[in-house]
């Protein structure tokens, strides 16, 4: 932690090249580094996702790569409680009765795209694409599926507001292919209503 991560914590710094070159990191890039090094040393760790955070678990020990420390379950629970006090209203729907969920190697890689989507939040086309790439890394990850659906919905609404109805219809059709006809029907109804009032 003292040498490779010497540059300090930087929000949304999930870029591994920057971590290696400048030592700056966030929970995603530091967790990836710890995960890779642990694997090289024969230490089995499991990446975990919590609201707006990633960490590693090794048996009953919790590894917080951003702080470079291992914690007991009791000590780590205080940190998890803090994360949940700042969670989005939709997070309980995604996590169910769990406070964090295990993810795999590709889910950890998907977090790089989620960071990129957060950085590009003002550019819905780019942030949606990056979120969909995260879904491709880990197709069964409910966090990524939820974010991608939300981004696609927002992008459709943005196109409707810009009166670009052809674009809105394309995005709504893609949303329907991914999330079902009822979702796309709602979006198409919004497009039709906007077209009548233009």
């Amino acid at each position: 932690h003292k040498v490779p991560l010497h540059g300090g914590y930087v929000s949304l710094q999930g870029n591994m090249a920057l971590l290696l070159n400048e030592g700056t990191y966030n929970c995603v890039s530091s967790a990836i580094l710890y995960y890779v090094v642990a694997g090289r040393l024969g230490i089995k760790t499991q990446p975990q996702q919590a609201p707006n955070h990633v960490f590693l678990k090794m048996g009953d020990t919790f590894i917080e790569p951003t702080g470079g420390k291992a914690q007991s379950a009791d000590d780590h629970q205080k940190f998890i409680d803090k994360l949940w006090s700042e969670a989005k209203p939709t997070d309980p729907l995604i996590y169910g009765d769990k406070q964090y969920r295990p993810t795999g190697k590709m889910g950890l890689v998907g977090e790089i795209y989620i960071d990129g989507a957060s950085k590009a939040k003002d550019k819905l086309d780019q942030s949606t694409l990056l979120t969909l790439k995260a879904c491709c890394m880990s197709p069964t990850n409910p966090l990524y599926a939820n974010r991608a659906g939300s981004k696609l919905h927002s992008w459709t609404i943005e196109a409707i507001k810009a009166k670009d109805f052809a674009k809105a219809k394309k995005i709504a059709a893609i949303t329907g292919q991914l999330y079902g006809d009822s979702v796309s029907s709602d979006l198409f109804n919004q497009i039709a209503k906007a077209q009548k009032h233009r």
Side-chain angles (χ1 to χ4, degrees):
H1 193 270
K2 288 179 182 174
V3 178
L5 304 179
H6 67 275
Y9 180 89
V10 175
S11 180
L12 302 178
Q13 204 309 78
N15 184 319
M16 293 306 295
L18 280 176
L19 180 150
L20 296 171
N21 292 334
E22 298 176 16
T24 57
Y25 60 92
N26 71 347
C27 64
V28 174
S29 50
S30 61
I32 291 170
L33 180 67
Y34 269 64
Y35 184 77
V36 169
V37 171
R40 243 341 250 257
L41 296 172
I43 300 168
K44 187 173 180 177
T45 59
Q46 174 69 58
Q48 305 287 325
Q49 292 175 311
N52 297 313
H53 188 60
V54 177
F55 60 93
L56 301 173
K57 192 173 177 205
M58 181 180 66
D60 294 332
T61 302
F62 295 81
I63 302 167
E64 279 298 340
T66 53
K69 58 188 170 188
Q71 297 178 311
S72 68
D74 289 340
D75 288 340
H76 194 256
Q77 187 59 46
K78 294 171 190 167
F79 181 68
I80 293 294
D81 291 342
K82 182 179 181 298
L83 289 176
W84 275 98
S85 72
E86 301 164 355
K88 296 175 186 165
T90 55
D91 283 338
L93 300 172
I94 298 166
Y95 286 90
D97 60 350
K98 298 182 178 173
Q99 293 191 310
Y100 50 88
R101 63 178 304 279
T103 188
K105 292 176 190 174
M106 298 312 288
L108 197 52
V109 172
E111 287 289 338
I112 295 171
Y113 287 119
I114 292 297
D115 274 0
S118 295
K119 281 184 182 178
K121 64 183 175 187
D122 296 333
K123 298 175 182 172
L124 269 173
D125 55 346
Q126 289 180 10
S127 64
T128 304
L129 176 63
L130 290 167
T131 306
L132 288 169
K133 286 183 178 185
C135 288
C136 291
M137 294 294 107
S138 185
T140 59
N141 189 314
L143 298 156
Y144 299 163
N146 178 269
R147 287 193 188 180
S150 177
K151 294 279 184 190
L152 285 163
H153 186 270
S154 297
W155 194 17
T156 306
I157 300 305
E158 182 182 80
I160 291 170
K161 287 180 180 175
K163 297 190 182 345
D164 189 344
F165 299 116
K167 182 178 183 179
K169 286 178 182 176
K170 283 181 185 176
I171 301 166
I174 291 167
T175 305
Q177 289 174 343
L178 295 172
Y179 295 93
D181 292 336
S182 62
V183 175
S184 62
S185 294
D186 177 50
L187 292 173
F188 279 117
N189 288 337
Q190 291 181 51
I191 295 166
K193 188 190 273 186
Q195 282 179 306
K196 280 183 187 176
H197 293 3
R198 69 172 165 156

